[in-house]
């Protein structure tokens, strides 16, 4: 057995998101979000599931933080629910919403756990969606006001701030592919949403600096790695476009203030174009302190304009193992993403803000959840993080997705990503074998391979 040591001070954490775990959807003045609405549209969410109760973390956060302390993590990544803070998205602040997150953060700090706070993880107030949502530039102003409210409430307590989680999902998955709330299917709308979210990000970063908020701020794109099936130019270009859609379209403008020109031209061929107003790109390119990277999967593909996606990219099945949600297991892709970022954008500090696997293992007769496949998945991906660090990539920490099983968006409660098993009937938490494994990793700061 070999030992792979991580740098001193490396952050080991776990992550969740508000809508997926909090529940309490009508308590203490919380407004409705687009996901509350989406869940009630027949056929949109498996089994008609919703986030009304979820993991009931709104009431159980103290017990859950005790479990985090037992896990040995030094940081917990969570998101704030905009509808809890400003129920209609643009009006009065809800003091009880602020109070909840103050108590959550205070409890984390009292247990020696640093909060990493994400301002937006998909739960747009429904009242703003009724006025056009993220396709309406007015939503940018409302988001900046919301961000200022949270900044002022938690300044000095939170040191790591993220503006948006997975802008590709906010825009293309939700407004072009239609799989997530609000479930629209229009390319130009998706491009508009992507742009407006990036402008909101840039303006929020500038506000963070202007207010003198303590700590660091970044953004969290979701990434994949698409590898060409062959060295043929059309395959190479199709794979680049696929990667670019997920990686380049969001990371490059944040890092450089420019969209990738090849993709701009491709979108124009398809009839879509970003509507850039004066000053937008400079705002988007406002200097961040770190990049959060979410990574789960990747693929190998070739150019096929008939059967491929909008970029002519058709995945070629390679016989790889898949997780229970059907995603390829491709650990090398995480290394490729991390080294691509260093190669293209230099030594920006990086946190792996989400990485994990869906395996739907149930408790055995003895109550134990033997999720060895999840342990193997995590081990292989953590090893690729170590490789990237050895290769000079400035990776500062790793957050497992997820701390606990939770509401998995369009899949409802049918897909389990947690290292804690949640019995949704009783809300009991059970430490899976992966919890025990991850605790050893977090406490040792080295990987046994």
């Amino acid at each position: 057995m070999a030992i792979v040591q991580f740098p001193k001070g490396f952050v080991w954490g776990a992550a969740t998101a508000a809508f997926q775990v909090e529940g309490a959807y009508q308590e203490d003045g919380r407004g409705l979000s687009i996901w509350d609405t989406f869940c009630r549209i027949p056929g949109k969410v498996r089994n008609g599931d919703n986030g009304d109760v979820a993991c009931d973390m709104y009431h159980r956060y103290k017990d859950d933080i005790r479990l985090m302390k037992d896990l040995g993590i030094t940081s917990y990544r969570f998101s704030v629910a905009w509808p809890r803070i400003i129920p209609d998205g643009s009006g009065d602040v809800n003091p009880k919403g602020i109070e909840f997150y103050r108590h959550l953060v205070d409890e984390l700090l009292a247990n020696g756990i640093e909060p990493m706070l994400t301002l937006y993880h998909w739960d747009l107030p429904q009242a703003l969606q009724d006025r056009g949502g993220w396709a309406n530039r007015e939503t940018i102003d409302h988001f900046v006001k919301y961000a200022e409210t949270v900044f002022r409430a938690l300044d000095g307590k939170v040191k790591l701030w993220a503006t948006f989680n997975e802008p590709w999902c906010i825009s293309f998955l939700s407004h072009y592919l239609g799989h997530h709330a609000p479930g629209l299917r229009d390319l130009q709308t998706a491009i508009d949403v992507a742009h407006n979210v990036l402008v909101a990000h840039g303006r929020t970063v500038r506000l963070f600096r202007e207010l003198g908020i303590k700590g660091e701020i970044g953004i969290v794109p979701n990434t994949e790695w698409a590898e060409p099936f062959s060295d043929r130019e059309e395959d190479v270009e199709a794979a680049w476009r696929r990667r670019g859609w997920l990686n380049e379209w969001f990371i490059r403008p944040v890092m450089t203030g420019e969209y990738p020109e090849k993709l701009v031209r491709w979108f124009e061929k398809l009839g879509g174009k970003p509507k850039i107003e004066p000053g937008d790109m400079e705002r988007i390119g406002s200097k961040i302190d770190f990049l959060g990277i979410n990574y789960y999967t990747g693929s190998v593909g070739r150019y096929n304009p008939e059967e491929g996606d909008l970029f002519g990219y058709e995945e070629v099945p390679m016989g790889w193992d898949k997780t229970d949600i059907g995603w390829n297991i491709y650990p090398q892709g995480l290394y490729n993403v991390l080294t691509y970022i260093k190669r293209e954008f230099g030594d920006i500090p990086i946190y792996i803000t989400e990485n994990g696997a869906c395996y739907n293992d149930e408790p055995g007769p003895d109550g134990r959840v033997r999720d060895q496949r999840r342990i193997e998945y995590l081990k292989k991906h953590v090893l690729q993080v170590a490789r990237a660090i050895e290769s000079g990539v400035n990776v500062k920490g790793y957050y497992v997705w997820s701390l606990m099983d939770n509401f998995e968006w369009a899949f409802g409660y049918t897909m389990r990503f947690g290292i804690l098993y949640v019995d949704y009937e009783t809300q009991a938490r059970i430490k899976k074998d992966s919890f025990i494994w991850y605790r050893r990793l977090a406490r040792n700061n080295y990987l046994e391979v």
Side-chain angles (χ1 to χ4, degrees):
M1 181 178 291
I3 298 296
V4 178
Q5 184 72 50
F6 281 80
K8 186 177 180 182
F10 190 82
V11 173
W12 295 103
T16 66
F19 192 84
Q20 295 180 268
V21 297
E22 284 180 4
Y25 88 113
Q26 283 187 316
E27 284 191 47
D28 294 336
R30 178 188 178 273
L32 294 179
S33 77
I34 55 174
W35 271 95
D36 294 300
T37 302
F38 195 69
C39 288
R40 283 161 173 79
I41 301 172
K44 294 298 186 183
V45 175
R46 197 169 289 184
N47 299 328
D49 292 341
N50 59 55
D52 295 4
V53 177
C55 304
D56 196 30
M57 198 176 188
Y58 190 79
H59 299 111
R60 299 169 184 267
Y61 69 90
K62 289 186 179 180
D63 291 339
D64 289 333
I65 289 171
R66 279 194 282 274
L67 286 165
M68 294 180 213
K69 186 171 185 179
D70 179 46
L71 182 58
I73 57 175
T74 55
S75 184
Y76 170 58
R77 178 176 175 243
F78 65 97
S79 73
V80 171
W82 187 349
R84 255 191 228 291
I85 304 300
I86 303 175
D88 66 359
S90 62
D92 294 335
V93 173
N94 175 24
K96 289 189 175 179
I98 295 287
E99 183 182 23
F100 168 70
Y101 292 107
R102 278 201 180 115
H103 288 162
L104 175 68
V105 166
D106 286 345
E107 190 74 14
L108 287 166
L109 293 173
N111 284 274
I113 299 168
E114 289 288 343
M116 175 188 269
L117 187 156
T118 303
L119 287 165
Y120 188 84
H121 198 130
W122 307 353
D123 42 5
L124 182 74
Q126 180 60 41
L128 291 183
Q129 184 62 41
D130 293 342
R131 288 143 64 183
W134 280 111
N136 181 351
R137 280 187 71 111
E138 286 182 11
T139 300
I140 299 170
D141 297 329
H142 299 315
F143 180 81
V144 173
K145 178 197 169 190
Y146 154 67
E148 179 173 359
T149 304
V150 180
F151 285 155
R152 292 188 185 279
L154 297 173
D155 183 24
K157 296 186 176 189
V158 174
K159 294 176 184 171
L160 289 171
W161 302 81
T163 54
F164 288 91
N165 181 77
E166 300 188 346
W168 181 87
C169 293
I170 299 167
S171 53
F172 292 104
L173 187 65
S174 305
H175 292 82
Y176 170 67
L177 298 173
H179 299 323
H180 281 188
L184 303 182
R185 294 176 182 270
D186 182 76
L187 180 60
Q188 184 59 56
T189 302
I191 293 170
D192 292 345
V193 168
H195 183 71
N196 291 345
V197 163
L198 288 176
V199 173
H201 155 78
R203 282 187 52 190
T204 303
V205 170
R206 289 192 175 186
L207 176 69
F208 183 87
R209 310 284 184 219
E210 289 161 7
L211 294 176
I213 303 299
K214 300 174 192 69
E216 300 178 344
I217 191 165
I219 189 170
V220 178
N222 51 306
T223 63
E224 287 185 15
W225 192 261
E227 193 72 23
F229 183 69
S230 78
D231 284 341
R232 290 165 50 211
E233 185 179 354
E234 55 263 47
D235 287 355
V236 171
E237 286 298 307
W240 185 93
R241 288 190 297 269
R242 171 73 188 185
R243 292 199 305 271
W245 190 30
L246 285 137
N247 308 341
E248 281 273 311
W249 193 255
F250 298 96
I251 298 176
R252 186 164 295 280
V254 165
M255 296 301 295
T256 69
E258 296 178 348
Y259 283 116
E261 188 56 38
K262 272 201 296 189
L263 275 187
V264 171
R265 291 197 301 270
W266 191 271
F267 280 137
E268 286 178 349
K269 276 171 48 178
L270 299 173
K273 186 176 182 178
K275 297 169 186 168
I276 301 170
E277 295 191 4
D280 279 358
M281 300 313 296
E282 291 81 1
R283 292 184 188 96
I284 292 171
S286 300
K287 185 179 184 303
I288 56 173
D289 300 304
F290 68 88
L291 266 177
I293 293 299
N294 294 356
Y295 178 87
Y296 293 93
T297 188
S299 60
V300 171
R302 64 188 168 203
Y303 180 61
N304 184 340
E306 306 302 322
E307 301 292 331
D309 61 18
L310 78 166
F311 300 107
Y313 178 82
E314 178 193 36
E315 182 180 341
V316 178
M318 301 298 290
W320 294 341
D321 289 338
K322 296 177 185 288
T323 60
D324 285 352
I325 205 169
W327 298 348
N328 292 326
I329 301 173
Y330 184 30
Q332 169 78 29
L334 177 54
Y335 176 81
N336 293 345
V337 166
L338 293 172
T339 50
Y340 139 78
I341 292 169
K342 178 179 171 61
R343 189 167 61 247
E344 293 291 325
F345 308 113
D347 284 328
I348 180 78
I350 295 171
Y351 291 91
I352 310 301
T353 34
E354 289 182 27
N355 176 242
C358 171
Y359 289 112
N360 297 321
D361 301 295
E362 295 286 331
D366 58 357
R368 181 176 161 191
V369 182
R370 295 168 169 81
D371 60 335
Q372 185 62 34
R373 293 176 300 169
R374 179 173 288 106
I375 293 171
E376 291 304 315
Y377 177 101
L378 294 175
K379 187 184 293 184
K380 289 172 182 175
H381 285 77
V382 168
L383 187 60
Q384 296 294 337
V385 175
R387 278 188 73 202
I389 293 170
E390 287 285 321
S391 300
V393 182
N394 190 11
V395 185
K396 296 292 191 183
Y398 175 96
Y399 293 76
V400 66
W401 184 272
S402 172
L403 175 69
M404 65 183 75
D405 297 334
N406 54 53
F407 177 81
E408 185 48 44
W409 307 110
F411 292 97
Y413 296 99
T414 65
M415 297 293 164
R416 294 179 178 270
F417 277 84
I419 58 173
L420 284 169
Y421 181 91
V422 177
D423 182 325
Y424 297 115
E425 294 296 318
T426 66
Q427 292 296 341
R429 276 64 157 148
I430 301 171
K431 298 171 188 174
K432 300 181 185 181
D433 282 5
S434 58
F435 182 102
I436 309 304
W437 177 85
Y438 193 66
R439 178 169 61 190
R440 188 165 64 247
L441 173 64
R443 290 179 175 179
N444 290 344
N445 200 36
Y446 61 75
L447 180 67
E448 298 170 352
V449 293

